[in-house]
Amino acid sequence: NILSRQASRSTQAFLMIRRPPRSTRKESSAASDVYKRQILPLKNIKGMLLQFLKDNKFLYIFLAFYFLIGGILLTQFDKGDFVILFNKSHTLFLDYFFKYLTKFGEEVVLIAFFLFLIFRKKYYLSVLLIINILLNGIIIQLLKRLVFNEYMRPLAVLGKEGFHFVEGVRVNTHYSFPSGHTSTGFAFFVLLALFSKNSFTKVFLAFVAIIVGISRIYLFQHFFVDTYVGGMIAVFLTTITYLCLENYTSLKKRLLKN
């Protein structure tokens, strides 16, 4: 009995040494929860990106094809060749078509669409649209005015003699690179494409964004390289903005409740 009691006391003493106090266990558990909240989202990034690309594969394949072909064309032709080509191909229909299509890169149309979304109670999309457009606009204007402020537009480089100008369109001469209208058009239509569930609609919206860029060349406002880079910046920023706000903020939950 004496030996039994001594063994029992030794076991209890050992357990008291090995078993951490309750407060320590709680702190350890809390630290583990923090660790999981920080690390698990990082582990899920790959799966999230794969699912995102799967849902939008046709959209990004189409955009990748456009930027690939566009990049090849930029290496094969001079800077002003596309401006001259589109200008020589002018018609009355194209004058009106591009004159009004280019407005999708302007504030009036975007504000009208924003108000339409508010009226339809699409609060999340409307807020996402404003954030995306503002982010694109700020980046593009900083590049235009601080980094590439010496880049001139076609009118200043090619002159106006022998060229066709669309009536009612004021042609600018400064701050050519990159194209703000094109960037805004891509930011607008690519974001709408990401919200669409239909693959054909996604590709069609991306196509319209490309046509907005072409309108800037047709209207003698930009070179192709301006629209190409403006579109590329917009696709990158729009994708990052969408992924971050969709997966790493509570904005969606809060706005969809209202």
Side-chain angles (χ1 to χ4, degrees):
N1 291 336
I2 293 173
L3 292 174
S4 162
R5 284 197 297 271
Q6 288 179 345
S8 176
R9 288 172 185 170
S10 299
T11 303
Q12 289 176 359
F14 175 77
L15 291 175
M16 288 179 67
I17 294 172
R18 298 293 302 221
R19 182 182 297 170
R22 288 186 177 181
S23 60
T24 304
R25 283 182 304 201
K26 289 181 180 178
E27 291 174 3
S28 176
S29 177
S32 176
D33 291 341
V34 172
Y35 174 81
K36 288 178 180 179
R37 286 198 299 270
Q38 292 176 345
I39 300 301
L40 288 181
L42 296 178
K43 291 182 178 179
N44 291 334
I45 288 178
K46 181 179 179 181
M48 179 265 292
L49 288 175
L50 289 175
Q51 185 61 47
F52 173 77
L53 291 175
K54 181 180 177 181
D55 294 338
N56 299 283
K57 59 183 177 181
F58 292 109
L59 169 65
Y60 284 97
I61 288 173
F62 179 76
L63 289 170
F65 180 76
Y66 164 71
F67 287 119
L68 175 63
I69 297 300
I72 294 173
L73 291 175
L74 285 173
T75 64
Q76 300 299 314
F77 294 91
D78 291 332
K79 186 176 182 179
D81 286 351
F82 287 102
V83 176
I84 297 170
L85 174 64
F86 282 113
N87 193 267
K88 288 182 178 179
S89 304
H90 70 86
T91 66
L92 183 61
F93 169 77
L94 290 178
D95 285 358
Y96 280 101
F97 177 74
F98 286 122
K99 177 181 178 180
Y100 291 106
L101 183 69
T102 199
K103 294 187 181 298
F104 279 102
E106 298 178 2
E107 296 84 358
V108 175
V109 173
L110 297 175
I111 292 173
F113 189 77
F114 172 76
L115 295 175
F116 170 76
L117 291 175
I118 294 295
F119 177 76
R120 294 291 303 274
K121 297 184 179 181
K122 303 289 185 180
Y123 301 121
Y124 178 59
L125 177 55
S126 62
V127 171
L128 208 62
L129 177 68
I130 291 298
I131 293 174
N132 191 41
I133 295 297
L134 287 176
L135 177 62
N136 273 274
I138 291 170
I139 297 298
I140 292 295
Q141 290 304 316
L142 288 175
L143 291 174
K144 272 178 175 287
R145 298 177 184 277
L146 298 180
V147 182
F148 303 107
N149 55 338
E150 295 182 358
Y151 282 62
M152 306 300 285
R153 298 192 186 224
L155 181 61
V157 176
L158 302 175
K160 63 180 181 179
E161 187 174 350
F163 290 105
H164 169 75
F165 294 93
V166 178
E167 185 178 353
V169 176
R170 186 171 72 90
V171 181
N172 299 308
T173 56
H174 293 77
Y175 305 119
S176 182
F177 182 86
S179 170
H181 276 72
T182 305
S183 178
T184 301
F186 268 85
F188 177 66
F189 286 109
V190 171
L191 182 64
L192 293 183
L194 292 176
F195 273 86
S196 174
K197 302 297 183 184
N198 184 277
S199 297
F200 175 80
T201 303
K202 290 176 182 288
V203 172
F204 175 75
L205 290 170
F207 176 74
V208 177
I210 293 172
I211 298 300
V212 172
I214 292 176
S215 75
R216 305 307 293 164
I217 304 172
Y218 182 91
L219 295 173
F220 218 72
Q221 298 282 21
H222 284 285
F223 296 103
F224 176 57
V225 65
D226 305 335
T227 66
Y228 178 86
V229 174
M232 186 174 287
I233 291 172
V235 171
F236 174 76
L237 291 177
T238 299
T239 302
I240 297 300
T241 301
Y242 177 84
L243 287 173
C244 289
L245 294 180
E246 274 279 304
N247 298 282
Y248 297 103
T249 70
S250 60
L251 181 66
K252 185 175 183 178
K253 288 182 179 180
R254 284 188 283 136
L255 290 175
L256 290 180
K257 285 181 180 179
N258 297 328

